[in-house]
Amino acid sequence: HLDFAEAMFAAVLRALPACARTWFTALPKPQQVEEYTKTFVSPGLLKSSILAVQNSAGGISGDLSVRASLGARKITAVYSKDEASLELAITLPLTYPLRPAEAECTKRMGVPEGRLRKWLLSISAFLRNQNGGVAQALALW
């Protein structure tokens, strides 16, 4: 029965990461769940998330280029249009998806501050609150 429970836990984390994160943050003592996830579940989910981003990079708009590194747990997206460019770094925590991915702007040129804040807020909200993955967040961005 334990194998079934482990498989179900991994499946929930994969399919419903935002729901699992909500459950996790409500736990009174989340340390054991976090450690178990970090050791046994997250490595596979990190790998599949990075591979999904790499596989979808070809289908993303020509104005957006994407690089992903499993070792660094980081996805870098560069959006360039006319005179404007923006580099976005998304870092996946060791306990992903129990802890949300974090997005930050690492470089920008010609992008107004207000628009940048709006983009960062929307991608951060998607990564934190939606059940989609990083590849879907980048496609929407």
Side-chain angles (χ1 to χ4, degrees):
H1 293 88
L2 190 57
D3 290 340
F4 179 72
E6 291 170 347
M8 288 304 298
F9 181 62
V12 167
L13 288 175
R14 185 178 301 106
L16 302 168
C19 294
R21 201 169 13 260
T22 300
W23 164 79
F24 171 73
T25 57
L27 291 175
K29 295 182 179 182
Q31 296 84 1
Q32 287 181 320
V33 172
E34 189 169 34
E35 193 58 38
Y36 174 84
T37 303
K38 181 174 132 181
T39 305
F40 298 107
V41 182
S42 289
L45 293 177
L46 288 166
K47 184 177 182 180
S48 64
S49 292
I50 295 291
L51 288 173
V53 168
Q54 290 172 337
N55 292 336
S56 69
I60 295 178
S61 161
D63 298 332
L64 184 67
S65 65
V66 179
R67 296 182 317 270
S69 168
L70 179 58
R73 300 180 332 276
K74 186 174 274 194
I75 294 116
T76 305
V78 179
Y79 177 76
S80 298
K81 184 132 180 147
D82 301 326
E83 300 288 320
S85 70
L86 178 68
E87 183 174 288
L88 177 74
I90 298 174
T91 306
L92 303 174
L94 286 171
T95 56
Y96 180 79
L98 289 181
R99 302 278 183 204
E102 301 211 1
E104 68 175 321
C105 175
T106 53
K107 293 180 189 172
R108 78 176 169 114
M109 183 176 78
V111 177
E113 183 71 27
R115 179 172 284 172
L116 172 64
R117 278 196 313 264
K118 188 186 214 180
W119 283 345
L120 282 174
L121 182 62
S122 68
I123 198 164
S124 294
F126 183 91
L127 290 168
R128 188 176 47 257
N129 301 323
Q130 300 296 317
N131 283 317
V134 177
Q136 292 92 347
L138 287 174
L140 289 173
W141 182 61

